[in-house]
């Protein structure tokens, strides 16, 4: 018996070990000294260093073919480390002000990261499902993190029940795939599916899988949990779900659908087209009626999920490149938007209503500008990076011959611009309702400013990130 090559698994081993260490340290450490926070940040730095040291130059399988190391996985993991570092940094003052500065938040965040990393490198249905459940269980607990809040408990219960149903549906679809192909390995499944793509049992299995995937993505008509969870969860948790978890959703789709079931692309393209159009329509139209900013951003997320799915519909290298680019850009935009809510919040006050942003320009022109950059980027206004993300997806869809999908995406993008512009109008043309002040620490102000300015910098120079996304798409998907 030979030992498996663990070279490319060291980042996962390190994160798992450090999460356990943070848990133990939190039992004995002085809570006021933030040991768990700094240890968690050190974990992210260490994981990034290990990923760079053991980075992949090609595609390598290990752990009996259940784990794949490749450049795309390295890029996604590096983005995940950066986004979760932003989440921890933005959340620290928010948690402290509400007496929620406990080690459990960071431990759950690290275990969630481990789930994301496992999903990104999964090459086996069991590995993929284990990563998904590790992330999901961490998120359920993070939503219920404020134990004294009834709305948090209600949201967590709703999320858990619906999430369990979706996981069961996904697992049922996976069991069908195993029953038909006789394998759990994604490469062997792809070979078996390509040999007999007209098998009706595979279509049935694909239908169950897509229901589970659509729920995890928050795509219409399986989106019902998303606005309530975004609204009910502490904003620090909403920030995690709205940003880092979307990287896991991208990994789930590309591993399961685009890699394992590539032989059924003519079937899942039609299904994804329906999900994408419904998500674009419902997300953009219902967001207009929202007065709560977290709910508005939830429906905005649904519409952005529609765009990400459009990239997959193309089912070629250009489409996957566009979907990866859009996902990375979106998580940066979402982190900044939820960071702005945390910035304006303080003890006893949640700045999660649109009215709370009234007159922001009067007392903080700089952060009004940062929010403007984030909203314009989400709306797809040039020269911000959100414009290039939408352009890349629409170009891929057009090149794949889906003119009607491209036109639909443009129409709903124009409709969706209304609610982003409404927030900008409140910031610049309305007077503040009450006392306007910002209590956030200097570190958060600096990082949030960099987050907002990155929308402009990446928009002016989008070529490097776009080229990187194209280079790391797995050869098997090109």
């Amino acid at each position: 018996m030979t030992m498996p090559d663990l070279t490319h698994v060291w980042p996962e081993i390190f994160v798992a070990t450090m999460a356990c260490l943070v848990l133990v340290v939190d039992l004995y450490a002085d809570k006021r000294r933030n040991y768990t926070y700094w240890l968690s940040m050190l974990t992210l730095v260490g994981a990034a260093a290990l990923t760079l040291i053991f980075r992949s130059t090609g595609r390598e399988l290990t752990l009996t073919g259940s784990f794949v190391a490749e450049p795309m996985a390295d890029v996604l993991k590096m983005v995940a480390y950066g986004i979760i570092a932003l989440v921890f940094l933005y959340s620290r003052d928010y948690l402290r002000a509400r007496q929620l500065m406990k080690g459990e938040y960071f431990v759950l965040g690290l275990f969630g990261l481990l789930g994301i990393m496992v999903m990104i490198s999964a090459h086996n249905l069991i590995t993929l499902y284990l990563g998904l459940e590790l992330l999901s269980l961490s998120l359920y607990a993070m939503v219920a993190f404020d134990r004294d809040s009834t709305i948090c408990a209600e949201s967590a219960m709703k999320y858990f029940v619906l999430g369990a149903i979706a996981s069961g549906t996904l697992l049922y679809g996976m069991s069908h795939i195993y029953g038909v192909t006789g394998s759990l390995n994604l490469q062997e499944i792809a070979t078996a599916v390509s040999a007999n793509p007209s098998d009706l049992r595979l279509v049935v299995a694909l239908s169950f899988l897509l229901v589970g995937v659509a729920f995890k993505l928050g795509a219409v008509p399986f989106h019902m949990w998303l606005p309530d969870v975004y609204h009910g969860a502490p904003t620090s948790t909403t920030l995690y779900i709205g940003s880092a978890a979307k990287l896991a959703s991208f990994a789930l789709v590309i591993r399961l659908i685009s890699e394992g079931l590539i032989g059924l692309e003519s079937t899942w393209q039609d299904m994804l087209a329906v999900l994408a159009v419904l998500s674009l329509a419902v997300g953009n139209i219902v967001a207009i009626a929202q007065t709560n900013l977290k709910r508005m951003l939830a429906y905005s997320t649904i519409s952005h999920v529609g765009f990400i799915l459009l990239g997959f519909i193309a089912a070629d290298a250009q489409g996957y490149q566009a979907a990866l680019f859009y996902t990375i850009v979106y998580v940066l935009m979402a982190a900044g938007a939820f960071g702005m809510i945390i910035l304006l919040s303080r003890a006893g006050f949640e700045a999660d209503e649109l009215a709370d942003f009234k007159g922001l320009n009067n007392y903080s022109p700089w952060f009004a500008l940062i929010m403007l950059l984030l909203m314009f980027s989400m709306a797809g206004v040039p020269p911000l990076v959100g414009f290039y993300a939408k352009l890349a997806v629409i170009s891929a869809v057009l090149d794949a011959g889906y003119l009607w999908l491209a036109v639909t995406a443009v129409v709903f993008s124009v409709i969706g611009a209304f609610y982003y512009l409404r927030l900008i109008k409140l910031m610049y043309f309305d007077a503040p309702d009450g006392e306007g002040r910002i209590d956030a620490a200097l570190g958060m102000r600096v990082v949030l400013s960099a987050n907002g300015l990155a929308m402009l910098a990446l928009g002016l120079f989008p070529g490097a990130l776009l080229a990187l996304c194209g280079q790391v798409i797995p050869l098997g998907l090109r």
Side-chain angles (χ1 to χ4, degrees):
M1 181 177 178
T2 56
M3 284 291 292
D5 180 10
L6 298 179
T7 303
H8 297 293
V9 195
W10 278 117
E12 282 79 3
I13 295 172
F14 178 73
V15 170
T17 306
M18 289 299 291
C20 295
L21 178 64
V22 171
L23 183 62
V24 173
V25 168
D26 184 60
L27 289 175
Y28 302 101
D30 181 352
K31 300 292 188 293
R32 294 171 298 177
R33 295 184 182 273
N34 298 332
Y35 288 123
T36 50
Y37 168 77
W38 289 112
L39 266 178
S40 302
M41 295 298 262
L42 181 64
T43 303
L44 298 174
V45 173
L50 287 171
T51 303
L52 285 176
I53 291 170
F54 299 114
R55 65 183 179 276
S56 310
T57 54
R59 188 177 173 86
E60 299 175 51
L61 297 177
T62 185
L63 299 178
T64 62
S66 62
F67 187 98
V68 60
E70 60 188 9
M72 185 188 74
D74 292 340
V75 169
L76 283 172
K77 288 176 188 175
M78 292 299 289
V79 175
Y81 304 145
I83 290 297
I84 291 178
L86 281 181
V87 171
F88 287 169
L89 192 148
Y90 290 165
S91 302
R92 186 170 63 156
D93 290 341
Y94 177 90
L95 295 170
R96 185 184 291 145
R98 288 155 186 77
Q99 308 300 316
L100 294 172
M101 188 66 179
K102 301 172 184 173
E104 292 94 321
Y105 179 83
F106 301 104
V107 173
L108 289 168
L110 290 179
F111 276 118
L113 169 64
L114 182 60
I116 293 171
M117 294 167 72
V118 170
M119 289 175 70
I120 287 171
S121 286
H123 197 252
N124 177 296
L125 293 183
I126 296 295
T127 314
L128 193 62
Y129 186 74
L130 286 176
L132 178 64
E133 284 305 288
L134 183 55
L135 173 63
S136 299
L137 291 173
S138 301
L139 294 182
Y140 302 150
M142 290 176 78
V143 172
F145 191 68
D146 186 358
R147 289 178 295 181
D148 296 328
S149 169
T150 53
I151 189 171
C152 287
E154 179 186 339
S155 299
M157 184 56 70
K158 185 180 293 183
Y159 192 19
F160 173 71
V161 172
L162 293 176
I165 294 172
S167 292
T169 308
L170 190 68
L171 197 57
Y172 188 64
M174 287 181 175
S175 65
H176 267 273
I177 292 289
Y178 176 70
V180 176
T181 64
S183 176
L184 295 170
N185 183 284
L186 291 178
Q187 193 170 347
E188 293 173 4
I189 290 172
T191 304
V193 169
S194 299
N196 191 16
S198 58
D199 191 331
L200 186 59
R201 296 172 298 171
L202 287 173
V203 177
V204 173
L206 175 65
S207 303
F208 281 103
L209 288 176
L210 277 182
V211 170
V213 169
F215 178 90
K216 298 299 180 185
L217 283 167
V220 179
F222 307 101
H223 67 292
M224 65 294 288
W225 62 275
L226 203 140
D228 291 343
V229 171
Y230 272 39
H231 186 199
T235 305
S236 55
T237 300
T238 310
L239 169 61
Y240 194 109
I241 298 173
S243 55
K246 292 295 173 272
L247 293 170
S249 300
F250 174 85
L252 179 65
V253 177
I254 201 159
R255 293 297 182 208
L256 193 58
I257 307 297
S258 302
E259 193 170 334
L261 300 175
I262 188 62
L264 289 176
E265 73 269 24
S266 60
T267 305
W268 56 250
Q269 279 174 318
D270 295 339
M271 296 180 178
L272 290 184
V274 173
L275 294 174
V277 171
L278 288 176
S279 300
L280 287 168
V282 173
N284 282 312
I285 292 173
V286 180
I288 294 173
Q290 305 304 312
T291 57
N292 181 277
L293 183 54
K294 285 162 73 175
R295 293 187 77 85
M296 189 195 91
L297 289 174
Y299 283 102
S300 163
T301 297
I302 293 168
S303 69
H304 287 294
V305 163
F307 258 100
I308 293 172
L309 290 178
L310 287 180
F312 285 103
I313 290 169
D316 57 16
Q318 187 184 357
Y320 299 139
Q321 176 190 14
L324 177 58
F325 182 69
Y326 200 102
T327 304
I328 293 174
V329 168
Y330 171 71
V331 296
L332 286 171
M333 295 188 299
F338 286 110
M340 280 297 300
I341 297 177
I342 290 178
L343 180 81
L344 298 188
S345 298
R346 50 188 176 271
F349 174 68
E350 293 284 335
D352 61 351
E353 295 291 335
L354 288 176
D356 296 328
F357 280 73
K358 278 185 177 178
L360 177 61
N361 185 54
N362 291 347
Y363 60 92
S364 181
W366 175 249
F367 284 108
L369 174 65
I370 294 299
M371 192 60 169
L372 179 142
L373 291 175
L374 291 164
M375 292 297 105
F376 271 0
S377 186
M378 282 194 172
V381 175
L384 298 165
V385 67
F387 166 75
Y388 292 100
K390 291 182 190 294
L391 184 64
V393 168
I394 291 171
S395 298
V397 170
L398 276 175
D399 289 347
Y402 291 93
L403 175 63
W404 68 276
L405 272 177
V407 172
T408 303
V410 171
V411 169
F412 283 115
S413 290
V414 173
I415 294 172
F418 172 81
Y419 54 86
Y420 297 119
L421 295 176
R422 180 178 57 184
L423 182 61
I424 292 167
K425 177 256 180 191
L426 290 173
M427 291 192 302
Y428 281 90
F429 297 103
D430 287 24
D433 279 343
E435 177 195 6
R437 74 171 201 266
I438 296 176
D439 296 340
L442 178 63
M444 178 173 178
R445 293 174 185 238
V446 171
V447 176
L448 187 54
S449 300
N451 193 166
L453 292 175
M455 300 300 101
L456 182 60
L458 288 172
L460 293 174
F461 306 102
L465 180 58
L466 201 53
L468 177 66
C469 292
Q471 288 171 5
V472 300
I473 291 296
L475 288 173
L477 299 178
R478 294 181 183 175

